[in-house]
């Protein structure tokens, strides 16, 4: 890798590093400067430290999982086989190339199209894009159910880590709210001169200011993502609705709030608030409103991709609603 490439890669970690340093400072300021230095009531000190550390662990855990969970890429079934690639490269006629890609798409659970109604094909990754999959130019890969690329975790937020990202936002809000609520009394005491102290005073003052600032900012972001989950939309889909055979439909994947929540957080509610894998499906197939009553909505097994399975062929043809056309898309 070139020096310029290394510099770009290093610079991409700057926002995440800044957030990590800010988290370390907030831990020191709260535990040492507030609880150990400023607080005099032992019961209050133990209570604050106990609750703080529970929230802190959940916050850091969710942040770690959001940052270091690799984006999930499409299965090899969506990639061109060696034989298909050879046929595709040797085929000079555009119609013949379109036919080759159309044959590939018939074997796959694909229902969304490009704006012109063509099958979504990534010429960079050389694959048919699964529904809700998009190519990230920063990560240089196609990401299943891509939501956005987040600079604060230097990672693509998609199917593999969207739950972790939501919990990260939620626990960051809780973290900031708890700090602001417990620090406020001592902020006033320092501000009015009831308490005196050099270094601790400034740490406590800045704790309140920073926590309130992040709380206000993240409230809007978290609220927006809660709305997206309730509608079963990604950030990309909110700005550009997915296109189906019958045209664009921003609610095409909306199965109702309850089913939408279970699709992201899973069936076991005891795991909803823990940063562990519990989302439904495998990210390659998502039920649409039209077929949610007729089929098990989150079947993503191998058998539904088999060409010889007549039931699944009918299912895919229903979504396609006619002849297949192909258009390369990045």
């Amino acid at each position: 890798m070139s020096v310029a490439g290394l510099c770009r890669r290093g610079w991409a970690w700057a926002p995440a590093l800044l957030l990590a340093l800010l988290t370390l400072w907030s831990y020191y300021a709260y535990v040492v400067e507030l609880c150990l230095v400023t607080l005099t009531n032992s019961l209050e000190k133990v209570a604050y430290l106990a609750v703080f550390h529970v929230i802190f662990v959940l916050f850091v855990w969710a942040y770690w999982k959001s940052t270091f969970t690799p984006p999930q890429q499409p299965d090899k079934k969506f990639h061109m086989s060696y034989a298909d690639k050879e046929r595709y490269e040797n085929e000079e006629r555009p119609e013949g190339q379109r036919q080759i890609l159309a044959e590939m798409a018939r074997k796959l659970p694909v229902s969304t199209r490009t704006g012109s109604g063509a099958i979504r094909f990534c010429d960079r990754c050389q694959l048919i894009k699964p529904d809700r999959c998009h190519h990230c130019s920063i990560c240089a890969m196609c990401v299943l159910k891509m939501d956005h690329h987040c600079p604060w975790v230097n990672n693509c937020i998609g199917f593999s880590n969207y739950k972790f990202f939501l919990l990260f936002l939620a626990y960051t809000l809780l973290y900031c709210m708890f700090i602001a609520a417990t620090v406020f009394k001592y902020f006033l005491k320092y501000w009015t001169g009831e308490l005196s102290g050099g270094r601790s005073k400034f740490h406590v003052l800045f704790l309140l200011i920073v926590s309130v600032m992040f709380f206000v900012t993240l409230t809007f972001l978290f609220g927006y993502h809660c709305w997206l989950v309730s509608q079963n939309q990604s950030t990309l889909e909110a700005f550009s609705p997915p296109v189906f055979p019958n045209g664009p439909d921003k609610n095409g994947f909306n199965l109702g709030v309850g089913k939408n929540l279970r699709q992201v957080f899973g069936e076991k509610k005891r795991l909803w608030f823990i940063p562990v894998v519990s989302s439904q499906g495998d990210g390659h197939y998502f039920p649409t409103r039209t077929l949610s009553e007729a089929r098990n909505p989150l079947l993503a097994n191998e058998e539904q991709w088999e060409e010889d399975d007549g039931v699944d062929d009918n299912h895919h043809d229903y979504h396609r609603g006619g002849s297949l056309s192909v258009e390369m898309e990045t």
Side-chain angles (χ1 to χ4, degrees), residues 197-210:
R199 188 176 63 182
S200 296
K201 174 181 180 179
F202 288 105
H203 279 291
V204 170
L205 294 180
F206 279 108
L207 262 179
L208 181 67
I209 293 171
V210 173

Side-chain angles (χ1 to χ4, degrees), residues 213-228:
M213 179 181 68
F214 272 86
F215 178 80
V216 172
T217 304
L218 289 175
T219 295
F220 293 101
L221 181 60
F222 181 63
Y224 176 65
H225 277 280
C226 286
W227 178 80
L228 288 178

Side-chain angles (χ1 to χ4, degrees), residues 28 37 41 47 65 67 83-84 94 120 144-145 286 295 314 324 328-329:
Y28 166 79
V37 175
N41 187 305
K65 295 286 284 186
T67 304
D84 287 334
R120 302 192 313 137
L144 293 179
K145 197 190 175 184
F286 296 90
R295 291 180 54 84
N314 293 335
L324 294 173
M328 294 187 184
E329 179 190 51

Side-chain angles (χ1 to χ4, degrees), residues 140-160:
M141 67 175 70
C142 281
V143 179
L144 293 179
K145 197 190 175 184
M146 180 177 172
D147 188 87
H148 68 288
H149 187 93
C150 180
W152 293 104
V153 300
N154 192 29
N155 198 7
C156 257
I157 305 302
F159 174 79
S160 63

